[in-house]
Amino acid sequence: MPFRVVARAARGYPGRMNAHDERGTTMTGVDPGRLDDQQLMKELETIHRTRHDTLLYGSNDALRAHNERMAQLEGEYLRRNPRRPVAPGRTREGARERTGSDSATPTASGT
């Protein structure tokens, strides 16, 4: 009996990839430099939320476009926020010193 590959929908994500199917198109979106801070954050939240599905179920072209767009958006965020708060637990030294009760999220004061 010959081996047969059966295409199936992604488990737990029926029809989900239709939103990411970018075959034959180039995804560019709005230049991140033209977005206001609120729009930029919304774009970043969206692209991070869709990352896992794109990695697991997207075509190579979709993943490439996703990588490029994510780099554009993250680069703009970093350009605008060079002094963003960094949680001590998210550094190499902090990770080595971290205990089970420490948080990796910065506080309002940035410490």
Side-chain angles (χ1 to χ4, degrees), residues 61-76:
D61 288 340
L63 184 58
R64 189 175 308 111
H66 201 274
N67 289 342
E68 290 172 12
R69 182 64 174 168
M70 185 180 290
Q72 291 171 350
L73 293 167
E74 289 178 346
E76 180 63 20

Side-chain angles (χ1 to χ4, degrees), residues 20-104:
H20 300 289
D21 191 355
E22 299 289 333
R23 284 178 276 177
T25 64
T26 301
M27 183 180 82
T28 56
V30 175
D31 177 358
R34 295 181 58 201
L35 299 171
D36 65 31
D37 288 346
Q38 185 177 0
Q39 292 168 324
L40 179 62
M41 287 306 294
K42 184 174 172 104
E43 289 287 319
L44 282 165
E45 289 168 2
T46 298
I47 203 159
H48 285 121
R49 188 173 55 251
T50 61
R51 179 65 182 174
H52 192 74
D53 283 351
T54 305
L55 175 64
L56 294 179
Y57 310 115
S59 67
N60 288 340
D61 288 340
L63 184 58
R64 189 175 308 111
H66 201 274
N67 289 342
E68 290 172 12
R69 182 64 174 168
M70 185 180 290
Q72 291 171 350
L73 293 167
E74 289 178 346
E76 180 63 20
Y77 176 83
L78 293 172
R79 185 189 69 74
R80 293 183 193 186
N81 300 282
R83 299 185 202 286
R84 72 192 194 288
V86 176
R90 299 299 290 183
T91 64
R92 285 184 185 193
E93 182 179 333
R96 288 184 192 112
E97 296 173 3
R98 189 178 328 153
T99 65
S101 63
D102 289 344
S103 171

